[in-house]
Amino acid sequence: MSHYLDALQKLHTALDSAGPKRDFLEVDRIAGRFPAAVSSRPRHPADISVWCSNDYLGMGQHPAVLTAMRDTLGASGAGAGGSRNIGGTNGQHVLLERELAELHAKDEALLFTSGYTANEGALSVLAGQIEGCLVFSDEKNHASIIDGLRHSGAEKRIFRHNDAAHLEELVSAADPDRPKMIVTESVYSMDGDVAPLAEIAAIAKRHGAMTFLDEVHAVGMYGPQGAGIAAGLGLADRFTVIMGTLAKGFGTTGGYIAGPADLIDVVRRLSRSFIFTTALPPAVVAGGLAAVRHLRASDEERGRLSENATLLHRLLKQLRIPFLSDESHIVSVLVGDDATSRRISDLLLERHGIYVQAINAPSVREGSEILRIAPSAVHSTDEVRAFVEALDGIWQELDQHRSGLATASAAS
């Protein structure tokens, strides 16, 4: 034991020498007033405004969601009671899976406890259980995709980020008779850029590859009824599996995949992260179901999100504050230095009560540090303008570079 603890201490010391500890701000969201929140950190304002939440549409406080959760909590209690295979499948799980399958125009859907476990659990099966499967994965795919493919044991090829020509080159070089899978995201969580889905779908069709599309940062926010980027482009049927989450646009928690019935059944039978974990609590699932149903019927929230993101893009461009992409609601201001990004984040909080998290390695590469800004549907246009004014003042004070719209490659 002492040898292990000695080694652990060395690891901890090495981590400390590599950089500052990860700092977690306590944020108590206020239902009905979000993005307003309360923080108890000394020297910082107690009342703050949150600008880095993934609850992009404010559905985490929507009355329909809260009512559904309260009602189901009273009816079914706090927990699911077990895994889905052993006493944990509730009527709410079944209803939500049907709703998600309809949303994405797929045969069936399958719920997981998180988006991470959905990717890891599905890909470990879909890539690992097909003999000889060769996977083509974007170099900036999420850690959950990387882990799922690693655990699958499948051979893989990594194509340059959003580079359809490189993907074509790699797929063309493979044995034409070998089973193939292409895995990509639609909206990338750090850069905020959007994958060339039409080109990827065309490549997959030419080479007989199945496709796995992570729409985590798109479902709820884009496409008809919030079905995502692929649906908005009329390409949803060209992607074999659509993967999504309830934890962002839908404001609750949980992940899912939607696809052909046989494929979903294989994952249901073989995925370890589905089989060997307690199911989502029925009240949480009911909240997710209410959010999905509301956003299928309402464009109001998507409209407000789009307006706020467009305004933020325009104001930043006018001030020549560099950010990585204007293709989505994720606005990543490029700082390029860990200490400086933390300093800007601290000053925004201390002086203006604005909370936006600095993002550093391993979430982004060293030298590519960003402020990941997420204007939401529940921010007002005045709040967007006030945010940019505060950021611009600090940017000028710290003599940060100005260059307008940056490129993702500039941050690599």
Side-chain angles (χ1 to χ4, degrees):
M1 181 69 170
S2 62
H3 294 303
Y4 180 87
L5 293 178
D6 288 344
L8 180 64
Q9 182 60 52
K10 290 180 181 178
L11 172 61
H12 188 262
T13 301
L15 289 172
D16 280 347
S17 63
K21 294 181 180 179
R22 291 229 164 194
D23 192 19
F24 296 98
L25 180 69
E26 291 184 26
V27 179
D28 294 329
R29 290 153 53 95
I30 305 171
R33 290 182 52 204
F34 190 75
V38 174
S39 172
S40 58
R41 178 175 292 184
R43 304 190 323 277
H44 292 165
D47 297 320
I48 63 174
S49 177
V50 179
W51 284 83
C52 51
S53 172
N54 285 339
D55 187 2
Y56 300 125
L57 299 175
M59 294 306 295
Q61 63 181 355
H62 194 280
V65 174
L66 301 185
T67 297
M69 293 186 72
R70 291 190 193 102
D71 290 348
T72 306
L73 181 65
S76 298
S83 68
R84 291 286 298 276
N85 291 333
I86 307 176
T89 294
N90 180 276
Q92 296 292 333
H93 296 99
V94 176
L95 289 174
L96 180 52
E97 286 174 340
R98 289 175 182 168
E99 193 77 25
L100 291 168
E102 290 180 8
L103 173 66
H104 295 294
K106 301 296 185 185
D107 295 342
E108 293 185 13
L110 185 66
L111 283 173
F112 287 78
T113 52
S114 70
Y116 193 102
T117 57
N119 268 336
E120 192 282 330
L123 287 168
S124 62
V125 171
L126 297 174
Q129 294 293 326
I130 303 299
E131 185 176 355
C133 182
L134 179 59
V135 182
F136 302 86
S137 180
D138 188 289
E139 67 174 333
K140 289 194 175 182
N141 276 341
H142 191 263
S144 56
I145 293 175
I146 294 170
D147 285 352
L149 296 177
R150 181 181 294 129
H151 295 159
S152 76
E155 187 178 352
K156 56 184 178 292
R157 303 280 186 271
I158 307 302
F159 61 93
R160 291 187 292 271
H161 179 55
N162 282 351
D163 190 335
H166 188 219
L167 173 61
E168 173 71 52
E169 178 185 332
L170 293 176
V171 178
S172 296
D175 181 346
D177 296 325
R178 190 171 180 182
K180 302 175 188 66
M181 176 192 298
I182 299 173
V183 184
T184 188
E185 301 180 36
S186 58
V187 178
Y188 279 83
S189 62
M190 289 298 131
D191 291 354
D193 54 347
V194 176
L197 297 186
E199 295 172 74
I200 291 172
I203 292 169
K205 184 176 182 180
R206 281 196 296 273
H207 297 278
M210 76 90 77
T211 44
F212 187 104
L213 178 61
D214 178 328
E215 292 251 42
V216 158
H217 292 276
V219 290
M221 283 81 70
Y222 299 95
Q225 302 181 21
I229 297 288
L233 296 172
L235 298 171
D237 62 335
R238 304 283 294 277
F239 289 89
T240 317
V241 176
I242 301 292
M243 178 269 168
T245 187
L246 302 163
K248 295 178 173 60
F250 297 125
T252 57
T253 193
Y256 65 89
I257 60 170
D262 288 350
L263 181 150
I264 297 296
D265 191 48
V266 166
V267 175
R268 186 187 293 115
R269 292 187 188 193
L270 299 177
S271 172
R272 295 170 67 85
S273 64
F274 174 80
I275 296 169
F276 296 105
T277 192
T278 299
L280 286 168
V284 172
V285 178
L289 176 60
V292 174
R293 286 176 170 171
H294 174 83
L295 290 172
R296 292 189 71 185
S298 172
D299 289 322
E300 180 182 352
E301 293 80 6
R302 285 187 285 278
R304 291 203 304 265
L305 178 66
S306 177
E307 290 170 5
N308 283 341
T310 300
L311 175 60
L312 181 56
H313 295 152
R314 179 168 60 81
L315 295 175
L316 291 175
K317 288 178 182 177
Q318 288 174 355
L319 294 168
R320 300 180 63 244
I321 295 175
F323 63 102
L324 297 182
S325 174
D326 60 1
E327 294 183 277
S328 76
H329 60 285
I330 298 171
V331 186
S332 296
V333 167
L334 178 60
V335 181
D337 177 76
D338 185 19
T340 305
S341 63
R342 292 172 184 268
R343 180 64 175 151
I344 296 172
S345 176
D346 287 343
L347 289 174
L348 284 170
L349 188 60
E350 291 170 8
R351 295 178 181 177
H352 304 282
I354 289 172
Y355 175 48
V356 57
Q357 184 62 50
I359 306 296
N360 54 15
S363 298
V364 296
R365 296 170 183 171
E366 290 187 14
S368 304
E369 289 78 9
I370 59 174
L371 296 175
R372 184 185 182 278
I373 304 162
S376 73
V378 292
H379 287 97
S380 69
T381 55
D382 286 343
E383 287 173 325
V384 175
R385 294 180 184 278
F387 173 87
V388 174
E389 183 178 352
L391 177 62
D392 181 52
I394 294 170
W395 204 264
Q396 182 173 348
E397 177 184 335
L398 298 183
D399 195 26
Q400 289 297 107
H401 63 285
R402 296 180 186 263
S403 62
L405 185 63
T407 64
S409 59
S412 299

